[in-house]
Amino acid sequence: MNQNIAGILPASRWGKLIPIAFITYSLAYLDRANYGFGAAAGLAEDLNITPAISALLGALFFLGYFCFQVPGGIYAEKHSAKKLIFWSLILWGALATATGMVHSVALLAVIRFLLGVAESVVMPAMLIFLSHWFTRAERSKANTFLFLGNPITVLWMSILSGYLVNAFGWRGMFIIEGVPAILWAFIWWKIYADRPRDAKWLNEAEKRAVENALAAEQQSIKPVKNYREAFRSPKVLALAFIHFFWNIGMYGFIMWLPSMLKSASGMGIVATGWLSAAPYLLAVPLMLTASWFSDKYQQRKNIVLLFLGLGAVCFIASFTLGATHFWLSWVLLVIAGGAMYTPYGPFFAAIPEMLPRNVVAGAMSFVVCFGALGSFVGAWIVGYLNGLTGSPAASYVFMGGSLVVAVLLTALTTFSSLSTPTAQTRSAHS
């Protein structure tokens, strides 16, 4: 990519595209992360659910989420994410609302699984969508704005859900928080554009500038014949397993943090909501700073390694201190949560830099798919261990150990693309 091409890339992409990606991903997170609040606020008692079954119900979402990642990503690349996400929004909003109306454990299990299926297409479709619009020197930042929908949503959801549960019970919380996704589907349909050539708000020169810049990047990437070859690539497999072990810690943390904090602190559900929000507040500045460094210096691997390592150390230190030093243990848990979120933008920015356009959708979805499987394992096992032992201690060991494995795999994996950016390319985007 030369400086002339880079210089005319339209800045309007950020204002038009990033908000819709952020809001869509935020709504997906709202309807998957609030189960932990329902579980902490009486759902299990009202439906006579044992701790082991409660853990399985929380994790069933991720089993459904696992099933359709790859088909969703490939469909978004070959056809369009517009229709796919539109129907997904309506379906997951309806299912999330229905969670507040169930009176049967079997029906709740079906809803949790189908909710995962409905949301499974969102993450790969969004990542593919951003790769159609933003270049290598911008991609970590663009991905980070997408992934900020995760901690920011869980931040305000943690506080809001505490108040909603207090005012309307867990049923009212699920019903109220499911409606926004249905309403947003129609706004999405109105303003979304798959590729630069579909955008009515760009002129022809701006459309060509973006498409030419992206096409120029493809010329320096080694060809890959098909998806089978891509899935067998040592780099893709390594990234998939890193995401698997990373998400064991990440989603064990997200799903069961309210329950663990409520048990350890002895505080009410509103106070628990405020305590649970802190890691997500910390994650926002960390993610923005890390993505800036990642794009400016193209340091994808080092950023992932640094923050996953910090997350693992703080998790283990928090467990070591235990409930007898609750506030210090909580601070370490806040740092661990913020650190785990931080590298998502750089991590997923690396994949389109390793593989050509003809296989990147499937490969990206493959990595996301492994993460979903890790999320299922983390959400289930952490909840199961909490119920089995009556203490979060074993869960901390399990999550911290999984993060250590992710760190070791990251250290052994080459993240760099098959070609490196020139100094001229970097300076053009500084």
Side-chain angles (χ1 to χ4, degrees):
M1 189 194 316
N2 61 48
Q3 192 166 353
N4 290 333
I5 291 175
I8 59 173
L9 293 178
S12 57
R13 294 168 301 150
W14 296 93
K16 293 283 188 180
L17 302 174
I18 293 301
I20 66 170
F22 173 83
I23 292 171
T24 304
Y25 198 58
S26 294
L27 291 173
Y29 250 87
L30 171 63
D31 290 332
R32 78 180 67 168
N34 59 7
Y35 181 82
F37 270 91
L43 181 152
E45 290 83 353
D46 289 351
L47 297 183
N48 297 314
I49 301 171
T50 65
I53 295 299
S54 182
L56 180 59
L57 287 169
L60 271 175
F61 169 92
F62 299 106
L63 189 59
Y65 196 72
F66 167 79
C67 293
F68 290 91
Q69 298 276 346
V70 174
I74 293 173
Y75 183 91
E77 173 67 33
K78 291 189 173 181
H79 302 286
S80 169
K82 185 171 186 174
K83 192 176 294 185
L84 190 67
I85 299 297
F86 173 78
W87 288 111
S88 176
L89 279 160
I90 291 176
L91 182 57
W92 96 55
L95 288 166
T97 299
T99 306
M101 304 175 186
V102 297
H103 294 273
S104 158
V105 175
L107 183 57
L108 180 59
V110 171
I111 288 174
R112 290 294 300 171
F113 178 80
L114 290 178
L115 184 63
V117 172
E119 291 187 18
S120 65
V121 302
V122 176
M123 185 172 169
M126 289 288 104
L127 289 168
I128 294 302
F129 157 54
L130 293 177
S131 75
H132 290 164
W133 281 93
F134 296 97
T135 65
R136 174 178 183 152
E138 308 167 308
R139 199 166 286 132
S140 180
K141 181 180 175 184
N143 286 351
T144 293
F145 278 117
L146 171 70
F147 287 118
L148 277 172
N150 179 327
I152 289 177
T153 299
V154 182
L155 169 63
W156 62 259
M157 183 276 296
S158 296
I159 297 168
L160 176 64
S161 294
Y163 283 105
L164 287 176
V165 165
N166 203 45
F168 304 105
W170 63 268
R171 292 186 182 277
M173 179 200 71
F174 282 119
I175 292 169
I176 292 168
E177 292 183 349
V179 171
I182 300 172
L183 300 177
W184 179 251
F186 297 95
I187 301 173
W188 162 273
W189 184 263
K190 180 71 175 176
I191 62 179
Y192 176 81
D194 269 307
R195 300 171 187 267
R197 62 174 176 264
D198 303 320
K200 296 178 181 179
W201 41 271
L202 291 180
N203 61 42
E204 291 303 318
E206 290 172 328
K207 293 177 183 180
R208 285 195 301 271
V210 178
E211 291 181 345
N212 290 343
L214 293 170
E217 291 181 350
Q218 292 293 303
Q219 295 173 9
S220 63
I221 299 176
K222 181 181 177 181
V224 176
K225 288 189 298 184
N226 51 40
Y227 288 123
R228 182 178 180 183
E229 183 178 333
F231 294 164
R232 294 171 62 186
S233 162
K235 286 186 179 181
V236 172
L237 287 170
L239 291 176
F241 279 104
I242 291 167
H243 199 212
F244 172 81
F245 287 104
W246 178 0
N247 271 21
I248 286 178
M250 185 80 255
Y251 280 88
F253 179 87
I254 291 171
M255 289 294 296
W256 299 108
L257 181 64
S259 295
M260 291 190 293
L261 286 179
K262 189 171 185 291
S263 172
S265 69
M267 297 180 182
I269 193 66
V270 172
T272 298
W274 282 97
L275 291 175
S276 299
Y280 312 109
L281 182 62
L282 176 63
V284 175
L286 289 180
M287 290 175 76
L288 290 171
T289 304
S291 68
W292 182 84
F293 273 98
S294 176
D295 280 340
K296 185 173 178 62
Y297 299 105
Q298 295 294 303
Q299 293 295 316
R300 313 298 197 207
K301 174 179 175 174
N302 289 341
I303 287 173
V304 175
L305 190 60
L306 171 65
F307 285 99
L308 284 186
L310 178 62
V313 168
C314 288
F315 239 124
I316 293 168
S318 178
F319 158 71
T320 303
L321 288 170
T324 54
H325 300 85
F326 173 77
W327 288 109
L328 183 55
S329 178
W330 173 75
V331 169
L332 289 168
L333 206 57
V334 168
I335 297 171
M340 281 191 292
Y341 271 109
T342 300
Y344 274 116
F347 181 80
F348 282 102
I351 301 173
E353 297 161 8
M354 296 180 183
L355 296 162
R357 174 63 65 188
N358 66 307
V359 296
V360 73
M364 190 112 64
S365 303
F366 183 73
V367 174
V368 174
C369 185
F370 266 66
L373 191 59
S375 303
F376 170 75
V377 172
W380 182 17
I381 299 299
V382 168
Y384 177 78
L385 289 174
N386 288 345
L388 181 67
T389 64
S391 162
S395 302
Y396 280 105
V397 173
F398 177 62
M399 289 186 283
S402 298
L403 288 172
V404 168
V405 174
V407 169
L408 293 174
L409 287 173
T410 302
L412 296 171
T413 302
T414 303
F415 272 48
S416 59
S417 61
L418 299 177
S419 66
T420 55
T422 63
Q424 182 183 12
T425 301
R426 285 196 295 266
S427 65
H429 290 277
S430 301

